[in-house]
Amino acid sequence: MNEDLRQVYQDIISDHFRHPRMKGWSGEGWKDVLNVNPACGDQIRIACRRDPQNGQITEWRHQSQGCAASVASASIMCGLLDGLPPDLARERVSMYLRELQNTAPGEHSDTDAFEEQALLFFRRVPSRVVCVRLAWDAALRLLDLV
Amino acid sequence: MTRAEGGGPADSLDSLIQSIRTQFPFFDQEDGGGGWVYLDNAATTQKPRAVLDALMGYYTRYTSNIHRGLYELSEHATESYEAARAKIARFLGASQPDEVVFVRGATEGINLIASSWGRCNLQPGDEVLMSQLEHHANIVPWQLACESTGAKVRVIPMDDAGNVDVDAAVAMMDQGRVKVLSMMWVSNALGVRLPVELLVKEARKRGIFTLVDGAQAVSHFPVNVSDLNCDAFVFSGHKLYGPTGIGVLWARASVLEQMPPYQAGGDMIRKVSFSGTTFAAPPARFEAGTPHIAGAIGLGAAVDWLTGVGFDCVDKIDAALYERCIEMVSAIPGLRRIGTSRRQLGAVSLFSERAHPSDIAALLSADRIAVRTGHHCAQPLMERLGIPGTVRISMALYNSMDDLDRLCKSLAKAMRMLG
């Protein structure tokens, strides 16, 4: 497990932490939600709007200040949700949050994105699940606003 | 620190630490502390066998409620509970055991004073003075008391090393509105020892009420509240090798006597009727309901244990571990020490521009090394320092030089990985 965890850090998580994708936003119509981890003070702000040309799909961005788990989670999540219609985005976020709660070892995951799977490694470290959840919880709240 | 060859001072220190460590069953458990390097002692300490035996003794041999049972078991429990109070009074240099109130911990002790004394004595415009380094447990209870009385919290400035500005504190007191000085003796976040003796003296000269949070002090140096001459003092048992859920509020008798009850219930009354109730004298007035009997007895055992080790010995181990820790972490690239006052003990706080504290801690945990990360319940301090949090290494009497070797190897590896 320890080696797995290190692998996650060294590869996907570390890459998204050092080079966060989907960072920052500009233009009209954005709504944003700030989520703070009271235990460490990490701040993850997620922004979303309906695409100005195609109102049926959503655009996602973030502005994150935190640990590798929280920043990489925001980066990965925004990449996965960007371009999805609100209903599909909500479904994806809800499913992911359910998966994150499920700590059964070796349990089958419906998540097919490799990057999401990487984040699921944090299920094994309950104290870090809070970090991973910050972005996804914010997204769920945000979907009520756009 | 240089380790001497064969039988030198370092060897005698190692064997001293080893003799203490063997008294802690935690480190023998394969499914527990065995294999762990435990360096989160400012959060809570492990418990020596003497404390565990005292807890088990109460639970297996004389479990019964205190104060009102007219049978031998209950009398035994009462005697043990009150004996613990007397031990703690001696440990603190209090003039009488009745000045010792059992509470859940330092947090409850401060809440008790802020709520009971504060709400009766604070008035609009009064000021509660505290340091920039305070734990939330000393900030928020006073904020609540201020909200309900119209008083306000004022903060003594500090420099970047963590030194409290004594001149500024005295100047603030001289402005005449300070009613309370409430401050920690040792910073949980940085390990800085604050000039409490000096500031309490200045405050008392001006008739200011003084409360000292001794949570991080009592396990590191001897405390004598009579010499310190403060009005109230709090600490938690679990940071002093004692049980969780038990702590102490000491306050001078004249202070406790004028304070109204904080919570109400059994054991704190003199006479109850539906037309009105009169209250017991302190400390019973502040110990409503069945207290943590086993905890108090266990804390008494912890105080006995630490007194048996002796503060000369504590000082020797603390100094050696601290010096070694500073020397080793200073050699790791990418880590900066936060809190570089000359008055430091017990804890070393680190920050890295390129690696988040939580990520460092996760990698240390993978090597079975326990440290604390984050803001350490001192968000205003972190804001003042302009950092989100630190990695805190906090040491206790059972930590060996090998523990520090393992920590530093793992830290160096984590920094290479995250940097």
Side-chain angles (χ1 to χ4, degrees):
Chain A
M1 174 249 168
N2 294 344
E3 290 311 311
D4 288 345
L5 184 63
R6 290 206 177 117
Q7 206 56 47
V8 171
Y9 264 106
Q10 281 175 320
D11 302 341
I12 299 163
I13 304 296
S14 176
D15 186 45
H16 275 271
F17 174 56
R18 286 175 202 193
H19 314 288
R21 283 64 136 179
M22 321 296 285
K23 197 176 163 187
W25 59 93
S26 59
E28 300 289 310
W30 291 95
K31 303 271 188 198
D32 62 273
V33 162
L34 174 70
N35 223 353
V36 178
N37 183 351
C40 60
D42 284 359
Q43 298 191 6
I44 303 296
R45 190 180 289 280
I46 304 294
C48 178
R49 71 170 174 181
R50 285 177 185 262
D51 184 290
Q53 270 79 52
N54 176 359
Q56 298 307 304
I57 65 168
T58 51
E59 292 182 299
W60 294 81
R61 298 289 185 275
H62 70 101
Q63 197 65 52
S64 305
Q65 191 181 46
C67 64
S70 60
V71 174
S73 182
S75 169
I76 290 170
M77 184 195 78
C78 288
L80 290 166
L81 300 184
D82 200 57
L84 292 183
D87 287 353
L88 262 182
R90 184 185 298 279
E91 200 179 299
R92 185 124 199 191
V93 173
S94 301
M95 187 181 82
Y96 183 74
L97 285 170
R98 279 197 306 276
E99 294 225 35
L100 205 53
Q101 273 180 327
N102 190 338
T103 52
E107 163 262 355
H108 170 72
S109 168
D110 292 332
T111 303
D112 48 10
F114 188 60
E115 291 172 315
E116 262 178 298
Q117 287 285 355
L119 285 175
L120 287 175
F121 273 100
F122 284 105
R123 284 190 304 202
R124 296 161 171 184
V125 193
S127 59
R128 305 305 298 283
V129 167
V130 178
C131 314
V132 177
R133 280 190 71 114
L134 289 173
W136 301 78
D137 283 331
L140 211 53
R141 280 158 58 200
L142 200 48
L143 279 162
D144 291 333
L145 306 176
V146 294
Chain B
M1 179 181 154
T2 310
R3 299 229 216 171
E5 293 293 323
D11 273 0
S12 73
L13 186 76
D14 285 347
S15 56
L16 176 62
I17 292 171
Q18 197 50 39
S19 72
I20 289 172
R21 192 177 172 91
T22 55
Q23 298 176 52
F24 287 77
F26 173 82
F27 296 109
D28 300 334
Q29 311 300 310
E30 279 188 18
D31 59 345
W36 274 88
V37 171
Y38 186 79
L39 291 165
D40 193 16
N41 295 288
T44 198
T45 52
Q46 302 304 325
K47 321 304 172 197
R49 193 170 288 106
V51 168
L52 302 176
D53 287 349
L55 291 169
M56 279 299 280
Y58 169 75
Y59 282 129
T60 55
R61 291 192 290 110
Y62 58 102
T63 297
S64 52
N65 214 327
I66 53 168
H67 291 155
R68 287 177 312 283
L70 298 177
Y71 50 94
E72 204 177 304
L73 285 174
S74 174
E75 281 166 7
H76 186 177
T78 301
E79 278 166 19
S80 303
Y81 182 79
E82 294 303 333
R85 196 192 303 278
K87 284 176 194 179
I88 289 154
R90 280 196 299 277
F91 179 71
L92 292 178
S95 60
Q96 49 177 305
D98 285 352
E99 292 180 332
V100 170
V101 178
F102 284 119
V103 288
R104 282 184 296 156
T107 297
E108 190 178 32
I110 298 170
N111 273 278
L112 201 165
I113 288 287
S115 175
S116 177
W117 187 95
R119 285 168 206 236
C120 287
N121 290 281
L122 289 173
Q123 290 176 353
D126 283 347
E127 293 171 354
V128 177
L129 194 58
M130 58 183 61
S131 81
Q132 179 81 49
L133 295 98
E134 297 306 320
H135 190 285
H136 297 164
N138 189 40
I139 301 172
V140 185
W142 287 113
Q143 284 177 328
L144 292 177
C146 287
E147 269 175 31
S148 62
T149 58
K152 65 177 182 183
V153 168
R154 284 193 77 189
V155 182
I156 307 167
M158 61 170 239
D159 66 16
D160 291 342
N163 294 302
V164 168
D165 186 337
V166 171
D167 292 341
V170 172
M172 288 162 112
M173 291 185 211
D174 278 338
Q175 286 165 7
R177 299 311 307 255
V178 176
K179 191 76 165 273
V180 175
L181 171 73
S182 184
M183 65 189 288
M184 53 172 35
W185 206 336
V186 176
S187 159
N188 66 309
L190 307 184
V192 173
R193 179 170 171 167
L194 280 69
V196 158
E197 300 94 322
L198 179 60
L199 290 179
V200 165
K201 196 173 160 193
E202 293 297 327
R204 294 277 296 160
K205 269 198 259 175
R206 293 162 177 80
I208 294 166
F209 181 88
T210 52
L211 167 63
V212 176
D213 170 4
Q216 302 293 341
V218 282
S219 63
H220 292 290
F221 53 84
V223 168
N224 186 305
V225 289
S226 301
D227 291 348
L228 183 60
N229 201 24
C230 57
D231 292 294
F233 184 92
V234 297
F235 72 91
S236 297
H238 69 101
K239 296 184 199 288
L240 184 85
Y241 307 98
T244 55
I246 189 77
V248 165
L249 160 67
W250 169 88
R252 63 175 76 243
S254 57
V255 168
L256 288 177
E257 273 156 22
Q258 61 121 348
M259 277 166 46
Y262 164 64
Q263 291 177 341
D267 223 23
M268 51 76 74
I269 50 86
R270 185 163 283 139
K271 173 92 174 74
V272 176
S273 75
F274 283 114
S275 59
T277 294
T278 52
F279 302 109
R285 187 187 300 165
F286 305 104
E287 293 182 3
T290 297
H292 187 3
I293 302 167
I297 294 167
L299 179 53
V303 162
D304 280 346
W305 180 82
L306 189 59
T307 307
V309 171
F311 276 104
D312 286 347
C313 200
V314 171
D315 195 43
K316 201 165 136 192
I317 296 174
D318 270 358
L321 289 173
Y322 188 79
E323 191 186 337
R324 177 83 169 160
C325 186
I326 294 292
E327 180 190 305
M328 293 180 83
V329 298
S330 301
I332 301 172
L335 287 172
R336 175 160 64 95
R337 264 174 64 211
I338 304 294
T340 48
S341 161
R342 278 183 297 147
R343 296 160 56 94
Q344 301 227 188
L345 73 164
V348 175
S349 234
L350 302 169
F351 179 72
S352 165
E353 302 292 343
R354 50 180 212 246
H356 191 283
S358 302
D359 297 327
I360 296 173
L363 291 171
L364 294 183
S365 174
D367 284 341
R368 290 165 79 82
I369 294 166
V371 295
R372 176 60 68 95
T373 59
H375 51 59
H376 314 296
C377 295
Q379 282 179 323
L381 171 64
M382 295 300 144
E383 201 174 316
R384 161 65 183 79
L385 294 167
I387 55 175
T390 69
V391 175
R392 182 189 67 190
I393 301 152
S394 55
M395 294 155 280
L397 298 174
Y398 39 67
N399 285 128
S400 62
M401 296 299 167
D402 288 343
D403 283 352
L404 295 180
D405 285 346
R406 267 182 65 188
L407 164 78
C408 289
K409 278 184 192 140
S410 185
L411 252 182
K413 193 169 62 179
M415 290 307 294
R416 281 197 302 275
M417 207 174 275
L418 296 167

